[in-house]
C-alpha cells in the first residue's frame, strides 16, 4: 500500500462528511436560500445616540462613539470630528479632547498637532447600533479574569 | 451703407415722434386701462419667469450644479429623511422676500456669465473655486442671521428636550442667546466642504 492511497481515502471521507453536513442545512451566509433567489436584506439598525460614554473593555481600546455621526465629513479638506474634539475647540463643544496619544508619531514623539496617522478618526472609532448581536460574544473582561484568579488562589 | 443707417434712423425718429404725441383718437380711460392691463401682463410674465428660474429643475439643468452640488446633496438629511420633507436649492439659496430675491437674481446673472465662459466647467475647476463660492454663501447667511434656514427651522419651535444632549446644550448656550447663528455651527450640511484651513471653528 502506498501513501497516495491513504491520502485519497482520507479526502474521500472528508468530502463525504462535508456533504452530509451541508445537506443537514448548516447555516450559510445566504440564510438557507438557494443561489437563484435573492434573500431579504436584514433591517438596518438605528445608530445609538444617547450621548452616554460606554465602558471600554480594556484600556487601549478606542472608545466607541456615543453619538450620531451622520454626514460628518472627514476628508483632507475638513475634519468635522476635530471641530469639536481638537484641543482648542473643547471649550465651546464640551467634548472630551482627543488624548495625547493622538499627537504622537510612531516613535512616541508628541507633535504640536494631531498626528497624520490619527487624522482619520473612523479608522478606529465607530458608533454602535441598537441590534441583536449575530453571534454570542464570549469576551471576558480583564477584571473578571483577575477576580477568577484571586478567588482560585484562596 | 451710410444711406441705410440714416434710413433706419429716420424711421426710429418718426416712430418716437408719433408715440410722443398726445393721443388724438384714444380716450384717456382706454389708455389708463390699456396701460394697466399691459402692466399686469408684463409683471405677471416677469414674475412667472422669475418663478421658473426659482426651481430645482432649473438649477440643476446646468451640469455644473447637477454633477457637483446636487449629487452631494442627495445623501444628506435635506434630501432624504424619515419625514420625507426636503429642501430644494432655492429654499436655501434664494431669499423669500422680493427685494432680496431680485438682488440675489442680479448676482446670479454673473453666474450665468460664468456658465457661458466655462469658469467651472469641470469638477477640478469647480473644486478650485469652491472655497470662494462657499465663502459667499457663509457671508450671506451670517449677514441675514441664517434667514433661509429659519424659513423652515424656527428656534422658537425647537423642543430641546427632544434633541440630543449635544444639540440641546449648544443651542441653549449659543443660539437662544443670539451669540451665534445656524451657519456658524452648521457648515457643510448640504454639500462637501472646501479646504477649511483658516475658517473659524475648524482645525
Amino acid at each position: 500500500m502506498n501513501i497516495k492511497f491513504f491520502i485519497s481515502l482520507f479526502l474521500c471521507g472528508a468530502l463525504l462528511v462535508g456533504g452530509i453536513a451541508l445537506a443537514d442545512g448548516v447555516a450559510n451566509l445566504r440564510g438557507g436560500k438557494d443561489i437563484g433567489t435573492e434573500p431579504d436584506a436584514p433591517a438596518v439598525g438605528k445608530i445609538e445616540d444617547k450621548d452616554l460614554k460606554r465602558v471600554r473593555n480594556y484600556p487601549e481600546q478606542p472608545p466607541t462613539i456615543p453619538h450620531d455621526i451622520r454626514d460628518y465629513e472627514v476628508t483632507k479638506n475638513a475634519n468635522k470630528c476635530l471641530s469639536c474634539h481638537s484641543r482648542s475647540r473643547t471649550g465651546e463643544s464640551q467634548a472630551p479632547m482627543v488624548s495625547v496619544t493622538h499627537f504622537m508619531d510612531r516613535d512616541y514623539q508628541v507633535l504640536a498637532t494631531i498626528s497624520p496617522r490619527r487624522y482619520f478618526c473612523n479608522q478606529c472609532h465607530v458608533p454602535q447600533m441598537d441590534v441583536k448581536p449575530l453571534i454570542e460574544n464570549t469576551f471576558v473582561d480583564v477584571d473578571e479574569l483577575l477576580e477568577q484568579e484571586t478567588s482560585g488562589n484562596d | 451703407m451710410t444711406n441705410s443707417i440714416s434710413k433706419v434712423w429716420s424711421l426710429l425718429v418718426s416712430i418716437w415722434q408719433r408715440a410722443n404725441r398726445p393721443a388724438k383718437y384714444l380716450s384717456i380711460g382706454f389708455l389708463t386701462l390699456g396701460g394697466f392691463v399691459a402692466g399686469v401682463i408684463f409683471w405677471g410674465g416677469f414674475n412667472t419667469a422669475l418663478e421658473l428660474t426659482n426651481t430645482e429643475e432649473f438649477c440643476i439643468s446646468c451640469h455644473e450644479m447637477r454633477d457637483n452640488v446636487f449629487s452631494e446633496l442627495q445623501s444628506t438629511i435635506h434630501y432624504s429623511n424619515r419625514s420625507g420633507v426636503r429642501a430644494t436649492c432655492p429654499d436655501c439659496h434664494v431669499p423669500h422676500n422680493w427685494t432680496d430675491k431680485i438682488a440675489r437674481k442680479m448676482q446670479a446673472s454673473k453666474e450665468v456669465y460664468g456658465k457661458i465662459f466655462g469658469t467651472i466647467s469641470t469638477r477640478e475647476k469647480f473644486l478650485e473655486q469652491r472655497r470662494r463660492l462657499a465663502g459667499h454663501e457663509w457671508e450671506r447667511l451670517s449677514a441675514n442671521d441664517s434667514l433661509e434656514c429659519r424659513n423652515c427651522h424656527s428656534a422658537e419651535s425647537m423642543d430641546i428636550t427632544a434633541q440630543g444632549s449635544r444639540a440641546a446644550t449648544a443651542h441653549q448656550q449659543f443660539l437662544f442667546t443670539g451669540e451665534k447663528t445656524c451657519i456658524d455651527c452648521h457648515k457643510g450640511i448640504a454639500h462637501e466642504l472646501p479646504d477649511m484651513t483658516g475658517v473659524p471653528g475648524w482645525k
Side-chain angles (χ1 to χ4, degrees):
Chain A
M1 290 239 189
N2 65 15
I3 186 116
K4 274 195 188 144
F5 175 75
F6 275 113
I7 291 181
S8 21
L9 197 68
F10 174 74
L11 285 178
C12 284
L15 268 180
L16 195 70
V17 174
I20 291 169
L22 270 184
D24 275 354
V26 167
N28 61 18
L29 286 176
R30 300 191 56 80
K33 293 270 169 61
D34 69 69
I35 199 87
T37 44
E38 181 92 20
D40 294 333
V44 179
K46 271 210 179 111
I47 297 272
E48 242 182 46
D49 186 20
K50 295 195 188 131
D51 291 310
L52 295 174
K53 290 184 191 176
R54 300 187 194 88
V55 174
R56 301 180 207 181
N57 291 311
Y58 48 96
E60 310 91 325
Q61 184 210 318
T64 54
I65 307 175
H67 54 70
D68 195 10
I69 58 163
R70 180 176 176 171
D71 293 334
Y72 283 3
E73 188 174 336
V74 182
T75 61
K76 84 176 186 0
N77 280 343
N79 190 321
K80 175 81 179 172
C81 312
L82 286 180
S83 77
C84 287
H85 286 283
S86 74
R87 186 186 57 82
S88 55
R89 297 289 303 157
T90 50
E92 194 181 305
S93 68
Q94 290 297 307
M97 188 186 105
V98 292
S99 63
V100 71
T101 56
H102 296 66
F103 292 81
M104 288 176 183
D105 67 12
R106 63 186 192 182
D107 303 317
Y108 298 102
Q109 196 69 45
V110 180
L111 311 172
T113 56
I114 294 281
S115 164
R117 61 188 192 142
R118 289 279 169 114
Y119 183 83
F120 292 103
C121 319
N122 302 119
Q123 245 175 295
C124 304
H125 297 282
V126 288
Q128 297 290 296
M129 275 181 181
D130 196 7
V131 288
K132 205 170 112 253
L134 287 175
I135 51 168
E136 196 202 339
N137 193 337
T138 55
F139 180 82
V140 182
D141 193 277
V142 67
D143 287 349
E144 237 170 276
L145 283 179
L146 287 176
E147 207 168 289
Q148 277 170 16
E149 190 133 290
T150 44
S151 59
N153 284 348
D154 282 347
Chain B
M1 186 66 197
T2 39
N3 195 20
S4 62
I5 290 179
S6 68
K7 247 187 212 158
V8 171
W9 178 245
S10 58
L11 184 71
L12 285 177
V13 168
S14 81
I15 289 175
W16 171 247
Q17 280 170 347
R18 227 172 262 244
N20 206 21
R21 264 204 306 266
K24 246 190 236 159
Y25 312 111
L26 303 175
S27 73
I28 184 88
F30 177 84
L31 280 180
T32 324
L33 208 65
F36 181 72
V37 170
V40 167
I41 290 173
F42 172 74
W43 187 240
F46 180 67
N47 268 325
T48 310
L50 206 64
E51 283 319 310
L52 279 180
T53 61
N54 219 15
T55 60
E56 186 159 274
E57 289 80 61
F58 177 78
C59 303
I60 61 177
S61 61
C62 265
H63 77 91
E64 285 88 343
M65 293 299 121
R66 194 175 54 242
D67 300 345
N68 294 305
V69 274
F70 180 59
S71 66
E72 292 168 8
L73 175 71
Q74 284 174 309
S75 64
T76 72
I77 197 158
H78 284 103
Y79 191 86
S80 152
N81 57 54
R82 67 206 159 122
S83 22
V85 182
R86 59 158 302 213
T88 62
C89 326
D91 288 331
C92 290
H93 289 293
V94 185
H96 279 206
N97 108 16
W98 199 82
T99 33
D100 292 344
K101 190 193 292 191
I102 294 299
R104 182 69 186 85
K105 290 277 171 192
M106 308 265 267
Q107 219 182 336
S109 321
K110 202 170 82 203
E111 291 152 21
V112 173
Y113 168 90
K115 160 87 188 160
I116 293 167
F117 292 96
T119 314
I120 53 171
S121 57
T122 64
R123 175 80 181 166
E124 286 67 36
K125 287 190 198 165
F126 175 74
L127 292 182
E128 258 168 44
Q129 299 292 326
R130 175 160 245 174
R131 176 66 183 79
R132 184 177 61 81
L133 295 170
H136 289 324
E137 290 307 294
W138 294 332
E139 256 166 50
R140 183 175 62 82
L141 286 165
S142 32
N144 71 9
D145 196 14
S146 309
L147 181 65
E148 280 71 51
C149 313
R150 291 176 197 262
N151 282 336
C152 288
H153 299 270
S154 113
E156 291 72 46
S157 301
M158 270 186 188
D159 176 0
I160 54 166
T161 60
Q163 293 186 344
S165 87
R166 292 178 308 149
T169 324
H171 292 157
Q172 234 169 341
Q173 202 177 346
F174 297 102
L175 177 66
F176 300 162
T177 54
E179 206 173 305
K180 290 185 177 224
T181 185
C182 318
I183 199 64
D184 292 331
C185 303
H186 291 293
K187 294 189 176 69
I189 39 134
H191 318 291
E192 284 170 23
L193 287 166
D195 188 346
M196 297 300 275
T197 26
V199 179
W202 291 76
K203 270 269 138 186

